[in-house]
Amino acid sequence: MAEYGAHLTSAATVDEDRPSFFEVLAQESLMSTLRPALKHIVRVLAETNPHNFGWTFRYAEELYTFIDLVLQHHFLRTTSASFAENFYGLKRVPTKLGESLDTASGLPHKEHIKSLLLLVIVPYLKLKLDALFERWQQQFWDQPARVGSTKERIQKIFLTIYPFLHLTWEGVILVYQLRYLFQKSNRHSPFLYMAGVKLKYLSKEDILKQQHPVEAETSFENQEFMQQVTRYLQKGVGALAIGISQGLSLGVFFLQFLEWWYMSESYQTQVAVTSLPVPDPPKNGEREEVIGEEPSESSASVCALCNKQRTNDTALSTSGYVFCYPCIFSHIKSHKRCPVTGYPSETSHLIKLYPPS
């Protein structure tokens, strides 16, 4: 068993330029942590100043995608690698060119465009499809008996097919990783195959060229205005990318501190809410009286907000009362309190109730 484990961890014995399985997974996990980190920063800004920064939370995915697009374009152009790959000392080598590529000059145009699409656009579209699936699935659970329009049929077909597409997506990635682990393939991801590249270690020459790039000597006066603007933009993006790369360790510590700080505040809020006194249960045969409303005919299955038969029963954990899900969700969203007891509440305190049948 020990010899088998050593075989898995010493991939370099077969190919000195071939990154180990753990290195390629580490560079992928780095990018998977940057997205929630940015969303955390955006959430902090939105909570601190919702009037000026509230829009950033609504468009957090688009904001991250734009930043990711700029960064990946810069690193692919200057290092022939993505941001995370360069951080771990890796480079992308086109399978057709082999070792003849100069990393300082970037990837060829075709491989550059395909890599950019597969690094940025495809993951963004996948996240949007995941969010769409969750939203339509929630709507289907809320209104399972509705039948009819073409849109609803399309939604039902999508809800049926998408789990299998997601399973296929994850399965193909797993197969590529297993093949790479057992040295049956030189690519750990199908996206590298589609981009026509493979990963290798940076050589000493590559590192020296990246640290001391040789720029073409062109007279500044002879450049056109748009060329000058493009040059300044490229330098600005490069400085931003280098700053992010060098400040990553400090940024991770700072983000962990922010997470601890806001988790502490959230915990205190939860304790304050759950420590409220338990309200008296409604008497049998009497309807709960909503604050500011007149009592009407009562029933154990009548919503205290719409005064109709309850649908999608949902309990409010701060008070224990049960309402229609659409009614109580809209009320809590607007008033931040229980409509019966007046206790402060959030939408996270809503608990959906499902009958045994």
Side-chain angles (χ1 to χ4, degrees):
M1 182 64 73
E3 293 178 356
Y4 182 72
H7 167 72
L8 293 180
T9 56
S10 59
T13 58
V14 177
D15 186 351
E16 293 183 355
D17 290 334
R18 184 179 186 270
S20 70
F21 179 72
F22 302 101
E23 286 173 318
V24 296
L25 289 189
Q27 62 89 16
E28 286 194 351
S29 65
L30 174 62
M31 294 308 300
S32 66
T33 57
L34 290 181
R35 186 183 297 270
L38 177 64
K39 292 187 70 174
H40 187 85
I41 295 175
V42 168
R43 187 183 68 187
V44 171
L45 291 175
E47 291 176 351
T48 304
N49 192 342
H51 180 71
N52 293 325
F53 298 108
W55 65 272
T56 59
F57 186 74
R58 293 193 299 271
Y59 299 102
E61 293 295 347
E62 286 72 19
L63 183 62
Y64 174 84
T65 301
F66 173 75
I67 295 175
D68 192 27
L69 183 66
V70 173
L71 286 179
Q72 301 296 8
H73 170 70
H74 169 76
F75 276 90
L76 289 172
R77 185 179 61 84
T78 58
T79 67
S80 299
S82 69
F83 170 70
E85 292 162 359
N86 180 259
F87 185 81
Y88 280 92
L90 306 177
K91 64 179 178 180
R92 293 188 170 213
V93 178
T95 53
K96 295 182 179 180
L97 298 181
E99 298 296 334
S100 62
L101 176 69
D102 180 11
T103 59
S105 62
L107 287 171
H109 180 73
K110 183 179 179 180
E111 284 76 10
H112 178 97
I113 296 299
K114 289 194 294 184
S115 296
L116 203 58
L117 290 174
L118 294 168
L119 282 169
V120 181
I121 306 301
V122 171
Y124 170 75
L125 295 177
K126 178 65 167 56
L127 283 175
K128 286 298 181 181
L129 288 175
D130 290 342
L132 182 64
F133 175 79
E134 292 180 2
R135 185 168 69 251
W136 283 1
Q137 188 179 51
Q138 189 69 39
Q139 293 176 1
F140 181 77
W141 285 345
D142 291 342
Q143 300 171 344
R146 292 188 59 183
V147 182
S149 65
T150 303
K151 179 180 178 182
E152 291 172 347
R153 292 194 185 96
I154 293 175
Q155 290 179 351
K156 190 173 181 180
I157 293 173
F158 177 77
L159 292 175
T160 304
I161 295 177
Y162 188 73
F164 296 99
L165 296 178
H166 177 76
L167 179 63
T168 304
W169 172 289
E170 297 295 338
V172 171
I173 293 176
L174 178 61
V175 168
Y176 267 82
Q177 291 179 349
L178 290 176
R179 285 176 54 83
Y180 189 85
L181 175 64
F182 293 105
Q183 301 178 3
K184 300 297 183 181
S185 172
N186 57 1
R187 301 181 183 93
H188 73 282
S189 170
F191 301 128
L192 293 178
Y193 175 80
M194 288 186 284
V197 297
K198 60 183 178 180
L199 293 182
K200 287 184 174 292
Y201 287 115
L202 286 172
S203 63
K204 293 182 180 180
E205 292 77 10
D206 295 329
I207 296 174
L208 291 175
K209 288 180 180 179
Q210 292 179 16
Q211 292 177 346
H212 306 285
V214 179
E215 297 184 358
E217 297 182 359
T218 306
S219 176
F220 187 79
E221 291 77 7
N222 295 334
Q223 292 181 349
E224 297 181 359
F225 175 74
M226 290 305 299
Q227 292 178 337
Q228 296 176 9
V229 172
T230 303
R231 185 177 180 183
Y232 279 122
L233 287 175
Q234 291 176 350
K235 287 185 176 181
V237 172
L240 175 63
I242 293 172
I244 292 177
S245 178
Q246 294 179 348
L248 185 61
S249 300
L250 179 61
V252 168
F253 171 78
F254 180 68
L255 289 172
Q256 289 178 342
F257 173 77
L258 283 179
E259 184 177 5
W260 168 82
W261 180 269
Y262 278 90
M263 282 182 63
S264 177
E265 287 188 355
S266 176
Y267 175 75
Q268 293 175 1
T269 302
Q270 292 177 4
V271 170
V273 171
T274 55
S275 63
L276 294 171
V278 178
D280 295 332
K283 297 178 181 180
N284 292 333
E286 292 185 3
R287 172 184 176 269
E288 305 95 327
E289 294 185 11
V290 181
I291 296 175
E293 294 186 7
E294 295 295 332
S296 61
E297 296 181 2
S298 61
S299 173
S301 59
V302 170
C303 174
L305 284 169
C306 65
N307 198 23
K308 296 179 181 179
Q309 193 79 10
R310 283 199 306 265
T311 58
N312 301 318
D313 291 0
T314 302
L316 183 59
S317 61
T318 53
S319 63
Y321 284 90
V322 183
F323 310 88
C324 300
Y325 177 78
C327 298
I328 189 60
F329 183 86
S330 301
H331 183 88
I332 296 299
K333 196 86 171 175
S334 302
H335 300 91
K336 304 292 184 183
R337 63 183 178 91
C338 173
V340 178
T341 64
Y343 288 169
S345 305
E346 299 289 342
T347 54
S348 58
H349 299 135
L350 298 177
I351 302 175
K352 283 196 171 187
L353 304 178
Y354 299 98
S357 58

